[in-house]
Amino acid sequence: MCGIVGFTGRREAQPILLEGLARLEYRGYDSSGLATVNGKLYVRKTVGRIAALRKLLGDHPLKGNSGICHTRWATHGTVTEANAHPHLGGKGEVAVVHNGVIENYDELKRQLEAQGFQFKSQTDTEVIAHLVASLLSDDLVDAVRKALPHLKGTYALAVVSPRFPGIVVGARLGSPLVVGLGDHENFLASDASALGGFAQRVVYLEDRQLCVLTPDKWEICAADRTSADVEVHTLEWDAQDADKAEFEHFMLKEIYEQPEVIRRALAGRLNVAEATAHFDGLNLDARQLGQIDRIIMTACGTSYHAALIGEHLFEQFARIPVEVEYASEFRYRNPPIEKNTIIVGITQSGETADTLAALRESKRKGQRTIGICNVVGSSIAREVDGGVFLHAGPEIGVASTKAFIAQVTVLTLLAVHLGRMRHLSHQAGGRILDELQAMPDILRETLKCHDQVAAIADKYHHATNMLYLGRQYLFPMALEGALTLKEISYNHAEGYPAAEMKHGPIALVDENTPSVFLVPHSSVYDKVMSNLEEIKARGGPIIAIACAADTHVEAKVDDIIHVPSVPEYLQPLVTAIPLQLLAYHIALLRGCDIDKPRNLAKSVTVE
Ligand code: G6P
């Protein structure tokens, strides 16, 4: 979703701002823009990719040692150059970039128009620019500070003004913002990944804080301008993370990283002697963990599907009742929740607005919150009572792959941990740990299906409609397989519990509608085979993903992908790989922009 980068220093701002913005490209956007201060404000904006902005700035470069830039993901107003940020306030007194949504922008716009301010865009952001300009006298920080109480909604802002050269002001409410500290230069960004290699230390802004940056000074203050307590963090950054290496796309690189991602998610967390797992950051002692009698998991997108697998894991290993809720729904519901229920938020980015709001609301009601999150320093990681990091490394491809694998691995460990405090035996706990430790090698083996999956994609990539069917542990995988296909290939796909398709979706089955059957290695095997026959009887092509030991299914289907045989609870992990590769190759054959699919954002920071 929208990205912000700001800079002030002694070097030219344009190349630094552009490089930072390119690092945020993966988050999803539809237009971009950049402004520098050089006696007055200079602005360049384009629709489309950052390459277009880079070209424009190559032809018409901007000078200046401070500036701000932005990638926009349209919320208010269509995708046009006029609607791209930065927006100017007054007669070019200030330039503003903004992430978030200003809910009362209509009312503010009317007031500002009555004062004579002229609007050039359809955005909610332009009201902030004019509002700050209307309040500007001899102090830019004061003008921003006075503007903020008028804004209803969420924001991360960066503001510059030619009347105050070298100063970048930032403010945050509900949308992330991080200050990067350099040597005689300071930075601002909506995501620390923009700052890697530029700043070695960072400070994450809290809600209702402002920052004031000059080349030699940085200050973080509360809304009333009293100074705020801040914690300076070292920015961990690995140049390789931002590099596709030998892979054509980040998504493919990330699919291939998955064996290592499982190893990292397990590292340091296995207590083999006691046949359990341990976690440093849960902030719950054994007594509190033992008292948990219900778990509510809340998430969005792929993370929601990981939560659905977690439901099976917690119920099987820990015998704890679980509910899984879409965060966007859960945040506005008011269900009765007992004291010993914990709320677990699952999120790759740690910034998803709905998940953050659902966790905040739970916390406000006195519920204990746990975050399962990939991004250290993210809003959710900082706000929950306790948590577990995924250690999957930055995920750049918009469709989540390795973060999902890490989420399922961490949920399995948590289920063992809670199970061992209840009825899971030492022997069963030990067996699960052994099986988990074997998974990196098993996933390496699974990746060998790549060529075969590519050939199947070639055969079916013209189909515009596909069904994904699975049961029990593999039902969430059917949802995830369909979601990944939709996200990156723009093909329509539906995930269903295999038996449920009789109640509607079977009407879609014909010779042009392939079904991907996720064949389990479990007690429901025969049931799934009956469902498969029902599709076959209606002439629908069938692609099966089945375990290597299954010699029966091949004769019944059009195409088969064998994956290593593993216990039922680990089948989501081996099934994920062919599903990801199938979506990847179909999208590739359809000429789609795999890492940056249309309309999608990696980190959804608006409701
Ligand atoms: C967006 C992304 C998805 C992701 C979802 C939840 O929709 O495109 O890939 O699964 O957000 O994101 P989170 O960061 O909370 O896991």
Side-chain angles (χ1 to χ4, degrees), residues 299-304 346-352 355 380 395 397-400 407 483 487 600-604:
C300 304
T302 292
S303 298
Y304 174 82
I346 306 181
T347 168
Q348 186 284 127
S349 62
E351 300 293 352
T352 303
T355 311
I380 289 176
E395 188 177 65
V398 163
S400 186
Q407 287 165 345
L483 179 67
E487 284 181 309
L600 298 184
K602 183 72 188 160
S603 177
V604 179

mmCIF file of all heavy atoms in Angstrom, residues 299-304 346-352 355 380 395 397-400 407 483 487 600-604, ligand 1:
data_model
loop_
_atom_site.group_PDB
_atom_site.id
_atom_site.type_symbol
_atom_site.label_atom_id
_atom_site.label_comp_id
_atom_site.label_asym_id
_atom_site.label_seq_id
_atom_site.Cartn_x
_atom_site.Cartn_y
_atom_site.Cartn_z
ATOM 1 N N ALA A 299 -7.051 -12.632 11.703
ATOM 2 C CA ALA A 299 -6.063 -12.334 10.651
ATOM 3 C C ALA A 299 -6.794 -11.977 9.361
ATOM 4 O O ALA A 299 -8.029 -12.019 9.302
ATOM 5 C CB ALA A 299 -5.171 -13.551 10.418
ATOM 6 N N CYS A 300 -6.013 -11.647 8.328
ATOM 7 C CA CYS A 300 -6.572 -11.359 7.000
ATOM 8 C C CYS A 300 -5.805 -12.157 5.948
ATOM 9 O O CYS A 300 -4.644 -12.500 6.160
ATOM 10 C CB CYS A 300 -6.392 -9.878 6.652
ATOM 11 S SG CYS A 300 -7.083 -8.744 7.836
ATOM 12 N N GLY A 301 -6.438 -12.383 4.821
ATOM 13 C CA GLY A 301 -5.760 -12.962 3.658
ATOM 14 C C GLY A 301 -5.127 -14.305 3.955
ATOM 15 O O GLY A 301 -5.712 -15.184 4.614
ATOM 16 N N THR A 302 -3.917 -14.462 3.476
ATOM 17 C CA THR A 302 -3.195 -15.720 3.655
ATOM 18 C C THR A 302 -3.002 -16.039 5.142
ATOM 19 O O THR A 302 -3.079 -17.205 5.554
ATOM 20 C CB THR A 302 -1.824 -15.619 2.945
ATOM 21 O OG1 THR A 302 -2.079 -15.563 1.543
ATOM 22 C CG2 THR A 302 -0.939 -16.798 3.242
ATOM 23 N N SER A 303 -2.777 -15.017 5.943
ATOM 24 C CA SER A 303 -2.573 -15.259 7.378
ATOM 25 C C SER A 303 -3.833 -15.861 8.008
ATOM 26 O O SER A 303 -3.758 -16.630 8.964
ATOM 27 C CB SER A 303 -2.211 -13.946 8.086
ATOM 28 O OG SER A 303 -1.009 -13.444 7.568
ATOM 29 N N TYR A 304 -4.983 -15.499 7.456
ATOM 30 C CA TYR A 304 -6.246 -16.076 7.936
ATOM 31 C C TYR A 304 -6.265 -17.584 7.644
ATOM 32 O O TYR A 304 -6.720 -18.386 8.462
ATOM 33 C CB TYR A 304 -7.413 -15.347 7.254
ATOM 34 C CG TYR A 304 -8.779 -15.936 7.539
ATOM 35 C CD1 TYR A 304 -9.469 -15.615 8.707
ATOM 36 C CD2 TYR A 304 -9.372 -16.801 6.633
ATOM 37 C CE1 TYR A 304 -10.726 -16.154 8.961
ATOM 38 C CE2 TYR A 304 -10.625 -17.345 6.876
ATOM 39 C CZ TYR A 304 -11.294 -17.020 8.046
ATOM 40 O OH TYR A 304 -12.536 -17.559 8.292
ATOM 41 N N ILE A 346 -2.448 -12.987 13.670
ATOM 42 C CA ILE A 346 -1.415 -13.551 12.787
ATOM 43 C C ILE A 346 -1.228 -12.600 11.618
ATOM 44 O O ILE A 346 -2.200 -12.224 10.951
ATOM 45 C CB ILE A 346 -1.821 -14.953 12.285
ATOM 46 C CG1 ILE A 346 -2.142 -15.841 13.492
ATOM 47 C CG2 ILE A 346 -0.708 -15.574 11.444
ATOM 48 C CD1 ILE A 346 -2.529 -17.248 13.134
ATOM 49 N N THR A 347 0.003 -12.209 11.363
ATOM 50 C CA THR A 347 0.245 -11.214 10.328
ATOM 51 C C THR A 347 1.692 -11.250 9.873
ATOM 52 O O THR A 347 2.596 -11.282 10.706
ATOM 53 C CB THR A 347 -0.119 -9.803 10.837
ATOM 54 O OG1 THR A 347 0.374 -8.820 9.934
ATOM 55 C CG2 THR A 347 0.402 -9.517 12.221
ATOM 56 N N GLN A 348 1.873 -11.253 8.568
ATOM 57 C CA GLN A 348 3.229 -11.181 8.034
ATOM 58 C C GLN A 348 3.801 -9.800 8.321
ATOM 59 O O GLN A 348 4.843 -9.663 8.929
ATOM 60 C CB GLN A 348 3.186 -11.462 6.521
ATOM 61 C CG GLN A 348 4.533 -11.559 5.833
ATOM 62 C CD GLN A 348 5.220 -10.244 5.581
ATOM 63 O OE1 GLN A 348 6.395 -10.081 5.970
ATOM 64 N NE2 GLN A 348 4.542 -9.293 4.993
ATOM 65 N N SER A 349 3.091 -8.767 7.870
ATOM 66 C CA SER A 349 3.627 -7.401 7.901
ATOM 67 C C SER A 349 3.617 -6.779 9.285
ATOM 68 O O SER A 349 4.422 -5.906 9.584
ATOM 69 C CB SER A 349 2.795 -6.514 6.987
ATOM 70 O OG SER A 349 1.448 -6.464 7.469
ATOM 71 N N GLY A 350 2.671 -7.191 10.103
ATOM 72 C CA GLY A 350 2.515 -6.537 11.407
ATOM 73 C C GLY A 350 1.861 -5.173 11.298
ATOM 74 O O GLY A 350 1.815 -4.415 12.271
ATOM 75 N N GLU A 351 1.353 -4.830 10.107
ATOM 76 C CA GLU A 351 0.775 -3.495 9.914
ATOM 77 C C GLU A 351 -0.649 -3.544 9.396
ATOM 78 O O GLU A 351 -1.244 -2.489 9.172
ATOM 79 C CB GLU A 351 1.618 -2.670 8.925
ATOM 80 C CG GLU A 351 3.057 -2.445 9.334
ATOM 81 C CD GLU A 351 3.202 -1.564 10.578
ATOM 82 O OE1 GLU A 351 2.185 -1.012 11.036
ATOM 83 O OE2 GLU A 351 4.318 -1.448 11.080
ATOM 84 N N THR A 352 -1.198 -4.713 9.131
ATOM 85 C CA THR A 352 -2.532 -4.789 8.539
ATOM 86 C C THR A 352 -3.533 -4.061 9.447
ATOM 87 O O THR A 352 -3.699 -4.425 10.621
ATOM 88 C CB THR A 352 -2.928 -6.258 8.323
ATOM 89 O OG1 THR A 352 -1.931 -6.840 7.502
ATOM 90 C CG2 THR A 352 -4.276 -6.391 7.655
ATOM 91 N N THR A 355 -6.239 -6.102 11.370
ATOM 92 C CA THR A 355 -5.699 -6.998 12.411
ATOM 93 C C THR A 355 -5.235 -6.170 13.611
ATOM 94 O O THR A 355 -5.489 -6.526 14.769
ATOM 95 C CB THR A 355 -4.545 -7.844 11.828
ATOM 96 O OG1 THR A 355 -4.979 -8.411 10.597
ATOM 97 C CG2 THR A 355 -4.128 -8.953 12.775
ATOM 98 N N ILE A 380 2.065 -4.079 15.133
ATOM 99 C CA ILE A 380 1.471 -5.185 15.895
ATOM 100 C C ILE A 380 2.507 -5.799 16.816
ATOM 101 O O ILE A 380 2.233 -6.068 17.990
ATOM 102 C CB ILE A 380 0.824 -6.221 14.940
ATOM 103 C CG1 ILE A 380 -0.432 -5.595 14.329
ATOM 104 C CG2 ILE A 380 0.491 -7.530 15.676
ATOM 105 C CD1 ILE A 380 -1.162 -6.418 13.304
ATOM 106 N N GLU A 395 9.532 -10.479 3.055
ATOM 107 C CA GLU A 395 8.796 -11.125 1.961
ATOM 108 C C GLU A 395 8.381 -10.022 0.999
ATOM 109 O O GLU A 395 7.658 -9.100 1.369
ATOM 110 C CB GLU A 395 7.571 -11.855 2.513
ATOM 111 C CG GLU A 395 6.881 -12.696 1.463
ATOM 112 C CD GLU A 395 5.710 -13.482 2.044
ATOM 113 O OE1 GLU A 395 4.727 -12.832 2.479
ATOM 114 O OE2 GLU A 395 5.780 -14.706 2.081
ATOM 115 N N GLY A 397 7.370 -10.572 -2.600
ATOM 116 C CA GLY A 397 6.246 -10.950 -3.472
ATOM 117 C C GLY A 397 4.931 -10.657 -2.754
ATOM 118 O O GLY A 397 4.799 -10.957 -1.566
ATOM 119 N N VAL A 398 3.983 -10.069 -3.464
ATOM 120 C CA VAL A 398 2.730 -9.701 -2.796
ATOM 121 C C VAL A 398 1.986 -10.940 -2.298
ATOM 122 O O VAL A 398 1.452 -10.959 -1.191
ATOM 123 C CB VAL A 398 1.850 -8.831 -3.723
ATOM 124 C CG1 VAL A 398 0.406 -8.797 -3.236
ATOM 125 C CG2 VAL A 398 2.391 -7.417 -3.747
ATOM 126 N N ALA A 399 1.969 -12.000 -3.098
ATOM 127 C CA ALA A 399 1.318 -13.231 -2.618
ATOM 128 C C ALA A 399 2.229 -13.870 -1.578
ATOM 129 O O ALA A 399 3.400 -14.136 -1.832
ATOM 130 C CB ALA A 399 1.094 -14.169 -3.791
ATOM 131 N N SER A 400 1.692 -14.085 -0.411
ATOM 132 C CA SER A 400 2.522 -14.596 0.688
ATOM 133 C C SER A 400 2.842 -16.076 0.468
ATOM 134 O O SER A 400 1.966 -16.876 0.161
ATOM 135 C CB SER A 400 1.756 -14.415 1.996
ATOM 136 O OG SER A 400 2.577 -14.776 3.076
ATOM 137 N N GLN A 407 4.363 -19.254 9.413
ATOM 138 C CA GLN A 407 3.215 -19.139 10.334
ATOM 139 C C GLN A 407 2.718 -20.523 10.749
ATOM 140 O O GLN A 407 2.478 -20.783 11.934
ATOM 141 C CB GLN A 407 2.071 -18.373 9.654
ATOM 142 C CG GLN A 407 2.337 -16.888 9.512
ATOM 143 C CD GLN A 407 1.390 -16.194 8.542
ATOM 144 O OE1 GLN A 407 0.691 -16.838 7.756
ATOM 145 N NE2 GLN A 407 1.362 -14.875 8.586
ATOM 146 N N LEU A 483 -6.751 -18.551 -3.518
ATOM 147 C CA LEU A 483 -6.409 -17.137 -3.290
ATOM 148 C C LEU A 483 -5.135 -16.761 -4.054
ATOM 149 O O LEU A 483 -5.082 -15.723 -4.723
ATOM 150 C CB LEU A 483 -6.229 -16.866 -1.790
ATOM 151 C CG LEU A 483 -5.840 -15.431 -1.430
ATOM 152 C CD1 LEU A 483 -6.974 -14.459 -1.733
ATOM 153 C CD2 LEU A 483 -5.450 -15.305 0.046
ATOM 154 N N GLU A 487 -4.841 -13.923 -6.860
ATOM 155 C CA GLU A 487 -3.982 -12.761 -6.627
ATOM 156 C C GLU A 487 -3.051 -12.489 -7.798
ATOM 157 O O GLU A 487 -2.899 -11.346 -8.216
ATOM 158 C CB GLU A 487 -3.110 -12.984 -5.379
ATOM 159 C CG GLU A 487 -3.843 -12.827 -4.070
ATOM 160 C CD GLU A 487 -2.914 -13.050 -2.884
ATOM 161 O OE1 GLU A 487 -2.215 -14.079 -2.834
ATOM 162 O OE2 GLU A 487 -2.879 -12.195 -1.999
ATOM 163 N N LEU A 600 -3.427 -4.890 -5.832
ATOM 164 C CA LEU A 600 -3.128 -5.468 -4.517
ATOM 165 C C LEU A 600 -2.009 -4.710 -3.825
ATOM 166 O O LEU A 600 -1.186 -4.073 -4.463
ATOM 167 C CB LEU A 600 -2.720 -6.932 -4.653
ATOM 168 C CG LEU A 600 -3.753 -7.872 -5.234
ATOM 169 C CD1 LEU A 600 -3.236 -9.295 -5.210
ATOM 170 C CD2 LEU A 600 -5.045 -7.788 -4.443
ATOM 171 N N ALA A 601 -1.991 -4.832 -2.516
ATOM 172 C CA ALA A 601 -0.932 -4.216 -1.734
ATOM 173 C C ALA A 601 -0.399 -5.257 -0.765
ATOM 174 O O ALA A 601 -1.140 -6.089 -0.255
ATOM 175 C CB ALA A 601 -1.475 -3.024 -0.967
ATOM 176 N N LYS A 602 0.879 -5.197 -0.536
ATOM 177 C CA LYS A 602 1.501 -6.165 0.370
ATOM 178 C C LYS A 602 1.079 -5.925 1.812
ATOM 179 O O LYS A 602 0.909 -6.845 2.587
ATOM 180 C CB LYS A 602 3.029 -6.044 0.230
ATOM 181 C CG LYS A 602 3.829 -7.022 1.043
ATOM 182 C CD LYS A 602 3.726 -8.408 0.474
ATOM 183 C CE LYS A 602 4.358 -9.457 1.354
ATOM 184 N NZ LYS A 602 3.842 -10.793 1.017
ATOM 185 N N SER A 603 0.979 -4.672 2.131
ATOM 186 C CA SER A 603 0.678 -4.340 3.508
ATOM 187 C C SER A 603 -0.523 -3.399 3.491
ATOM 188 O O SER A 603 -0.430 -2.282 2.987
ATOM 189 C CB SER A 603 1.926 -3.657 4.080
ATOM 190 O OG SER A 603 1.706 -3.247 5.374
ATOM 191 N N VAL A 604 -1.660 -3.892 3.979
ATOM 192 C CA VAL A 604 -2.902 -3.131 3.811
ATOM 193 C C VAL A 604 -3.141 -2.286 5.064
ATOM 194 O O VAL A 604 -3.677 -2.762 6.060
ATOM 195 C CB VAL A 604 -4.079 -4.069 3.498
ATOM 196 C CG1 VAL A 604 -5.370 -3.295 3.349
ATOM 197 C CG2 VAL A 604 -3.801 -4.820 2.200
HETATM 198 C C1 G6P B 1 -2.643 -8.384 1.872
HETATM 199 C C2 G6P B 1 -1.592 -9.207 1.140
HETATM 200 C C3 G6P B 1 -1.759 -10.684 1.476
HETATM 201 C C4 G6P B 1 -1.748 -10.880 2.989
HETATM 202 C C5 G6P B 1 -2.789 -10.003 3.699
HETATM 203 C C6 G6P B 1 -2.612 -10.018 5.210
HETATM 204 O O1 G6P B 1 -3.890 -8.637 1.342
HETATM 205 O O2 G6P B 1 -1.683 -9.013 -0.247
HETATM 206 O O3 G6P B 1 -0.689 -11.428 0.902
HETATM 207 O O4 G6P B 1 -1.998 -12.218 3.276
HETATM 208 O O5 G6P B 1 -2.640 -8.651 3.279
HETATM 209 O O6 G6P B 1 -1.402 -9.412 5.512
HETATM 210 P P1 G6P B 1 -0.576 -9.668 6.822
HETATM 211 O O7 G6P B 1 0.652 -8.809 6.663
HETATM 212 O O8 G6P B 1 -1.425 -9.207 7.974
HETATM 213 O O9 G6P B 1 -0.248 -11.114 6.911
#
